[in-house]
Amino acid sequence: VQVPILTTRSTVERQVTVNWKMTDTTNMFKFYVYRDTTATALTLIDSVGSSSRSYVDNNVQTSTKYFYRIRLENKQYVLGDYSNEGSVSVLNEPKLNSPTNLSVNQSLTPVLKYGKTRYSQQYKVQLSTSKNFTTNVIDQTISGDSLKVVSALNYNSYYYWRVRSVDSLGYSKWSDTFRMQTKVQVPI
């Protein structure tokens, strides 16, 4: 029985996608998907038909590293060897620290601070004049846990900000969205 080759893994919010390929597509019945939180995944979590070459796992927890392997069962009900193993980390969304939600009288060049999360390599930070983030003032990916707004914001204006964790295989959900209001311009 031939052995599947695990090719890619990705995370989007709280969902893992595992992809594999086969060199020969004859005599295939179904694929078994194995997952564990330690190497050498042996826990069977599901099976998919022989035409599938990917599996979407929605039953995962954030801040957790998972290991996946695939096995093929042929039409004679003989199981092949396990595929190579691939790992993926399900990222947690960062917690925003400051400026706090609904804060007023904020600097025109505030520092956006948030908590780092386990397994994250970078953070995507967005600052917008729109609560739907259709008009972004900042849309930047950085490695630290804070971002200084360099270009001055407008006086007495509302801004919305959020952050998501990022690694080489995907990203987390967005954090909560915080709203802040910049300081009022003092008349001269």
Side-chain angles (χ1 to χ4, degrees):
V1 178
Q2 62 178 317
V3 178
I5 301 167
L6 205 62
T7 55
T8 60
R9 287 113 26 237
S10 62
T11 59
V12 175
E13 299 182 349
R14 289 188 180 128
Q15 175 179 293
V16 174
T17 302
V18 180
N19 300 292
W20 61 90
K21 68 179 181 177
M22 298 298 298
T23 55
D24 179 9
T25 59
T26 60
N27 196 27
M28 298 189 317
F29 178 61
K30 72 167 80 170
F31 293 99
Y32 292 95
V33 181
Y34 296 82
R35 180 192 73 203
D36 230 315
T37 54
T38 57
T40 316
L42 296 174
T43 305
L44 175 64
I45 60 168
D46 209 346
S47 64
V48 294
S50 63
S51 62
S52 295
R53 296 297 181 277
S54 68
Y55 179 77
V56 177
D57 188 357
N58 292 307
N59 190 23
V60 293
Q61 301 295 315
T62 58
S63 297
T64 305
K65 186 173 189 173
Y66 291 100
F67 298 84
Y68 289 88
R69 295 195 302 178
I70 309 297
R71 255 178 124 177
L72 171 67
E73 181 179 28
N74 69 16
K75 291 178 181 174
Q76 291 75 37
Y77 307 108
V78 176
L79 277 173
D81 289 335
Y82 290 99
S83 70
N84 55 312
E85 187 166 64
S87 66
V88 62
S89 300
V90 181
L91 303 173
N92 200 16
E93 60 270 17
K95 302 293 182 219
L96 304 185
N97 295 329
S98 68
T100 58
N101 194 27
L102 306 177
S103 58
V104 295
N105 201 31
Q106 290 297 310
S107 162
L108 300 183
T109 56
V111 177
L112 308 176
K113 295 182 181 180
Y114 47 90
K116 286 191 169 190
T117 60
R118 188 175 184 190
Y119 301 120
S120 296
Q121 296 168 344
Q122 294 183 307
Y123 300 90
K124 184 169 184 77
V125 181
Q126 289 185 334
L127 176 70
S128 181
T129 56
S130 160
K131 64 181 173 183
N132 296 324
F133 294 87
T134 53
T135 310
N136 289 334
V137 176
I138 292 175
D139 187 2
Q140 192 173 343
T141 302
I142 61 172
S143 58
D145 60 358
S146 65
L147 176 70
K148 169 92 170 147
V149 176
V150 179
S151 298
L153 303 176
N154 295 324
Y155 283 101
N156 196 28
S157 297
Y158 289 108
Y159 289 91
Y160 302 85
W161 71 287
R162 65 185 181 178
V163 181
R164 73 170 17 158
S165 302
V166 179
D167 73 3
S168 62
L169 298 177
Y171 51 86
S172 72
K173 286 187 173 189
W174 286 107
S175 66
D176 292 335
T177 297
F178 278 14
R179 185 186 82 186
M180 65 177 171
Q181 184 177 11
T182 52
K183 61 185 177 182
V184 176
Q185 188 172 14
V186 179
I188 299 176

